[in-house]
Amino acid sequence: MKISIISPVYLAQSIINELVDRLHKSVSTITNNYEIILVEDGSPDKSWEQIELLCLNDDKIKAIKLSRNFGQHYAITAGLTSATGEWVVVMDCDLQDRPEEIPKLLNKALEGYDIVYAQRELRQDSIIKKLSSKIFYKTFGYLTNSKQDSSIANFGIYKQKVITSILSMQDYVRFFPTMVQWVGFKSTKIKVEHSSREDGKSSYSWKKLINLAIDNIIAFSDKPLKLTIRLGLSIATLSFLSGIFYLYKYLNGEIKVLGFASIVISIWFLSGLIIFILGIIGVYLGKTFDKVKERPTYIISEKINL
């Protein structure tokens, strides 16, 4: 049995050595047949230089350097394409995901599961981050008609057939947790300890988080477009009722300004009709847009030990 551990690396110069050391100690208690794949995502510090040094002395460490910063989930995808293990562990590099939890994840998976999610029992994050995460997942779940859990992120263990299915998805926008949920398979979750950040702060600014949310809602759901259609129908209905109201007032002689009723009725009705039609066109454009995106999701600059 071979295990592949994939970790996207960004701003991790000071903790990469500890990450690798703890991974070795943890995974070696399960098997000696494993690989650690570190994907450097265009980090502005000297993370790549640290990774190069580690690779020189340890052939179990594989390294991928992306040509620029593509984003965490694109870096994960790059790592997945090189994973050869029967089981694949995905985890962040900041050590909030504890390497010591990997044996527990594997033992649960061997009970007959294809996916075992690591559920963060007590998140060691700020109140603002935990709140924003809950809001995102609640909104995302509503707009995609799916069940989302803010206590689950990337950390987990996945059977190779799950990874193969994820890689077969040609979506340009990559969001690993939702892609795992979409492919299905038998899954469960176990509670794990969540550590505080070892060094620095999250690279996700509010702007990046908002863009991530918008991109993924658009990529995984057409419900916003359907809501637009409902809005258009609601406005059209309201304009019809308003038209009856103003027509009644006009027939009773309560409106003295000529043309007022016709202008109000026209504006309300046509506005609703336009939004309704744009909503329908948007649904088709959205589906077409998903099919025609063929740009690479990431570009690899260098590889070591692969």
Side-chain angles (χ1 to χ4, degrees):
M1 179 179 64
K2 185 176 182 180
I3 299 176
S4 299
I5 303 100
I6 296 169
S7 183
V9 175
Y10 190 80
L11 293 177
Q13 175 186 346
S14 61
I15 57 176
I16 196 71
N17 288 338
E18 182 181 352
L19 170 66
V20 170
D21 184 55
R22 287 172 61 179
L23 281 171
H24 277 312
K25 289 178 180 177
S26 175
V27 182
S28 62
T29 63
I30 310 168
T31 178
N32 286 321
N33 190 14
Y34 64 91
E35 61 183 359
I36 300 171
I37 303 176
L38 303 174
V39 186
E40 200 269 1
D41 187 26
S43 182
D45 63 359
K46 295 183 178 180
S47 294
W48 179 248
E49 285 79 357
Q50 289 292 111
I51 293 171
E52 284 182 309
L53 290 174
L54 290 168
C55 289
L56 287 175
N57 302 313
D58 190 347
D59 59 4
K60 286 187 180 296
I61 302 175
K62 323 291 184 182
I64 298 173
K65 178 177 175 60
L66 301 186
S67 61
R68 63 171 176 82
N69 177 238
F70 283 88
Q72 181 186 33
H73 299 279
Y74 300 89
I76 289 174
T77 302
L80 295 178
T81 59
S82 297
T84 59
E86 180 184 343
W87 292 97
V88 178
V89 174
V90 176
M91 62 183 297
D92 294 343
C93 70
D94 56 14
L95 291 175
Q96 287 193 279
D97 295 337
R98 302 180 71 251
E100 292 77 15
E101 300 287 355
I102 293 176
K104 188 193 299 185
L105 291 170
L106 179 62
N107 289 335
K108 188 66 178 178
L110 292 177
E111 292 179 10
Y113 296 98
D114 300 312
I115 302 167
V116 179
Y117 299 107
Q119 185 177 35
R120 298 167 289 185
E121 190 170 10
L122 292 172
R123 288 188 60 178
Q124 302 299 315
D125 292 315
S126 66
I127 295 176
I128 294 176
K129 185 173 181 180
K130 287 189 282 189
L131 180 62
S132 62
S133 178
K134 285 186 177 181
I135 292 172
F136 167 73
Y137 281 106
K138 284 284 186 183
T139 305
F140 188 66
Y142 169 72
L143 291 176
T144 57
N145 292 321
S146 61
K147 189 176 181 180
Q148 301 291 330
D149 187 346
S150 62
S151 66
I152 294 173
N154 303 315
F155 192 24
I157 191 166
Y158 312 91
K159 206 163 189 177
Q160 182 59 238
K161 66 180 180 180
V162 177
I163 301 305
T164 301
S165 299
I166 291 172
L167 292 175
S168 71
M169 298 173 67
Q170 299 300 311
D171 300 49
Y172 181 71
V173 175
R174 316 293 292 184
F175 189 58
F176 183 71
T178 305
M179 296 174 82
V180 172
Q181 190 179 90
W182 188 88
V183 298
F185 295 103
K186 189 177 181 181
S187 65
T188 188
K189 56 189 177 184
I190 60 172
K191 292 183 178 180
V192 299
E193 185 179 341
H194 188 239
S195 299
S196 56
R197 185 176 293 275
E198 289 288 325
D199 183 65
K201 60 181 182 178
S202 174
S203 59
Y204 279 105
S205 63
W206 278 102
K207 183 179 178 181
K208 286 184 178 180
L209 286 172
I210 292 172
N211 288 336
L212 178 68
I214 293 172
D215 285 346
N216 284 287
I217 288 169
I218 291 173
F220 288 94
S221 172
D222 60 359
K223 192 169 183 177
L225 297 172
K226 293 177 180 177
L227 290 175
T228 302
I229 295 175
R230 292 183 186 180
L231 176 62
L233 285 171
S234 299
I235 294 175
T237 302
L238 181 62
S239 70
F240 178 74
L241 296 175
S242 299
I244 294 175
F245 173 72
Y246 283 114
L247 181 61
Y248 171 79
K249 294 189 72 174
Y250 173 74
L251 293 175
N252 280 351
E254 296 179 29
I255 296 178
K256 304 297 183 180
V257 181
L258 295 177
F260 176 81
S262 61
I263 290 173
V264 169
I265 293 171
S266 298
I267 290 174
W268 280 81
F269 180 74
L270 290 176
S271 296
L273 191 62
I274 289 170
I275 294 175
F276 174 70
I277 293 171
L278 286 176
I280 295 176
I281 295 173
V283 171
Y284 286 97
L285 284 176
K287 296 295 184 182
T288 304
F289 186 59
D290 288 338
K291 292 292 183 181
V292 301
K293 294 178 289 187
E294 295 182 353
R295 289 179 296 172
T297 55
Y298 59 86
I299 297 173
I300 294 175
S301 174
E302 295 180 50
K303 287 183 178 183
I304 302 176
N305 291 340
L306 285 168

